[in-house]
Amino acid sequence: MKKLLLICMCCVMVAPAVWGQTQNGPAKPGILGYLDPHTGAFRPVPSEESPDANALTTFTGTITVTLTITLKTIGLTNITCSEEVSVIDAITTSARFLAESDTVVATGTGSTRTCKLSIPYAWALATQSSDNMSTSYVVFGSTGTGPPQRSSTLSPLDTRKVPANGATTALTAAVTL
């Protein structure tokens, strides 16, 4: 009798666990992802239609900067100029930063020097119509053997929408060192 009672009690205890097992039903809608154990944040798995899958269009052009430099610091003989142009492509999930630069030695003698910088670019952009490009410059002067050294920076010199394909953007600035 004790054995029968023990068997019945085991069946009563196991029955709810067995009945709780259901057949796999249709999948419920949700977001596929994982829980980051370090931060406790849920990280969705990127969809197959990632931003990089969007069609990128290549925009080309040239940015020229002409800098006229007036030397007022005594002893400066070596003058170098740099230009940088950058754009942030505002793709919806993570923006991409693109940058180009050019460096030249200034021409001229005496107290006036000139730097003519030119950057041809070819950027593959997803959101060109809303992207802004920014142009900056740095002019550096030295004696060639040590101090005095001087520099002048302007950032941004210019900010504008990325021009239409094939455009040339000409900028000028006057700089005093």
Side-chain angles (χ1 to χ4, degrees), residues 73-175:
T73 303
I74 297 172
L76 295 180
T77 56
N78 300 322
I79 310 299
T80 305
C81 304
S82 292
E83 164 196 16
E84 180 180 271
V85 63
S86 61
V87 65
I88 297 176
D89 192 25
I91 294 176
T92 55
T93 57
S94 65
R96 298 178 328 130
F97 177 79
L98 298 97
E100 309 276 345
S101 65
D102 184 24
T103 301
V104 299
V105 174
T107 59
T109 59
S111 64
T112 303
R113 308 292 172 89
T114 303
C115 287
K116 294 185 184 258
L117 301 124
S118 180
I119 296 179
Y121 62 87
W123 294 324
L125 303 173
T127 57
Q128 178 267 350
S129 62
S130 62
D131 293 343
N132 286 320
M133 71 176 195
S134 180
T135 305
S136 304
Y137 70 79
V138 176
V139 177
F140 183 77
S142 71
T143 61
T145 59
Q149 296 183 346
R150 290 261 295 119
S151 66
S152 179
T153 303
L154 181 58
S155 180
L157 166 64
D158 181 72
T159 300
R160 66 180 66 213
K161 296 287 184 200
V162 174
N165 209 12
T168 296
T169 304
L171 304 170
T172 62
V175 180

Side-chain angles (χ1 to χ4, degrees), residues 37-60:
H38 299 291
T39 64
F42 177 77
R43 305 277 184 213
V45 173
S47 69
E48 291 179 20
E49 296 178 19
S50 69
D52 293 333
N54 291 339
L56 298 177
T57 303
T58 300
F59 290 86
T60 62

